[in-house]
Amino acid sequence: MTTSIRVLIADDQSMVRQGFTVLLNAEPGIEVVGQAVDGEDAIAQIAELAPDVVLMDIRMPGLGGIEATRRLTEPDGATVKVLVLTTFDLDEYVYEALRAGASGFLLKDASAEELAHAVRVVAAGDALLAPNITKRLIAEFSRVTAAAPRAPLKDRVGDLTERETEVLALIAQGLSNGEIATRLVVAEQTVKTHVGRILLKLGLRDRTQAAVFAFESGLVRPTAL
């Protein structure tokens, strides 16, 4: 038997929760196991229901999505993957949510197909950002930090090999493993190996955090995109 992906939806708007629940429950292999009205409620339900993915609204009364995400993705936190929801693709809080440990973000007006795809991608351990705006979003909200790289982060880049550094820079530019493999003329499995080593060496959760790290360490500049 195939195990369904267990999803928790955290949003203060009942219509959003109900709408996403209907859409996701209609998808094979996905089951909505709970709904939360704010961050505190989400954390409590995650502890009880153990979902694989939580769709987390950024802006909620009480404990918001960013702080809830930060608590859930702490080293001793839950293993749930967080996919943050927003109304605007350049929401100023999206970048902070990614820094807090979210595996990606999705616009609330996403289609049923996009929503299901996002849940499956994040549940599989990959990272996802809304199509076509990955580089624009990260560039927009990393200009200040990229202009003045933090020394400790810059030093950590030195732990990577030359090829790993090259792969990290391409991740930050929004390239997939297949696209990186084509660019470097290597096998896709080789790229996957490099990505795994990069995440391990830098202590990062996924590709999204790797992209953020690349900008904040100064490895990649927004002006280069």
Side-chain angles (χ1 to χ4, degrees), residues 34-182:
Q35 298 181 21
V37 299
D38 57 29
E40 291 284 4
D41 191 17
I43 291 174
Q45 291 201 45
I46 287 168
E48 178 183 354
L49 301 173
D52 303 299
V53 176
V54 56
L55 300 184
M56 183 82 75
D57 185 21
I58 289 183
R59 303 169 187 243
M60 293 183 288
L63 186 68
I66 295 176
E67 181 57 30
T69 296
R70 184 175 291 111
R71 294 185 190 182
L72 290 170
T73 57
E74 290 176 344
D76 57 348
T79 58
V80 65
K81 302 293 185 180
V82 177
L83 184 62
V84 295
L85 301 171
T86 181
T87 305
F88 308 104
D89 59 1
L90 285 180
D91 188 327
E92 62 183 299
Y93 296 111
V94 167
Y95 187 69
E96 289 303 315
L98 299 180
R99 291 184 66 191
S103 293
F105 83 97
L106 191 69
L107 301 180
K108 287 188 178 182
D109 63 357
S111 66
E113 182 180 359
E114 291 171 334
L115 179 61
H117 172 70
V119 168
R120 292 188 176 105
V121 167
V122 171
D126 209 338
L128 180 137
L129 301 178
N132 303 323
I133 59 176
T134 302
K135 291 183 287 187
R136 184 160 63 96
L137 174 92
I138 294 179
E140 180 68 22
F141 294 109
S142 63
R143 290 185 186 281
V144 175
T145 54
R150 289 185 285 175
L153 295 185
K154 191 173 183 179
D155 291 343
R156 285 167 61 190
V157 175
D159 295 334
L160 304 178
T161 66
E162 182 177 350
R163 176 59 64 144
E164 288 167 352
T165 302
E166 190 173 10
V167 170
L168 176 58
L170 293 175
I171 289 174
Q173 293 176 43
L175 274 65
S176 66
N177 284 348
E179 291 169 335
I180 293 175
T182 299

Side-chain angles (χ1 to χ4, degrees), residues 162-211:
E162 182 177 350
R163 176 59 64 144
E164 288 167 352
T165 302
E166 190 173 10
V167 170
L168 176 58
L170 293 175
I171 289 174
Q173 293 176 43
L175 274 65
S176 66
N177 284 348
E179 291 169 335
I180 293 175
T182 299
R183 177 78 64 88
L184 300 181
V185 195
V186 298
E188 187 170 345
Q189 183 57 50
T190 299
V191 175
K192 290 181 180 179
T193 299
H194 286 313
V195 173
R197 289 174 178 169
I198 290 168
L199 298 180
L200 181 62
K201 286 183 177 182
L202 298 180
L204 304 173
R205 287 170 57 91
D206 53 36
R207 297 169 70 92
T208 304
Q209 285 201 327

Side-chain angles (χ1 to χ4, degrees), residues 22-33:
V22 170
L23 292 176
L24 289 175
N25 279 340
E27 292 288 335
I30 298 178
E31 175 188 10
V32 176
V33 297

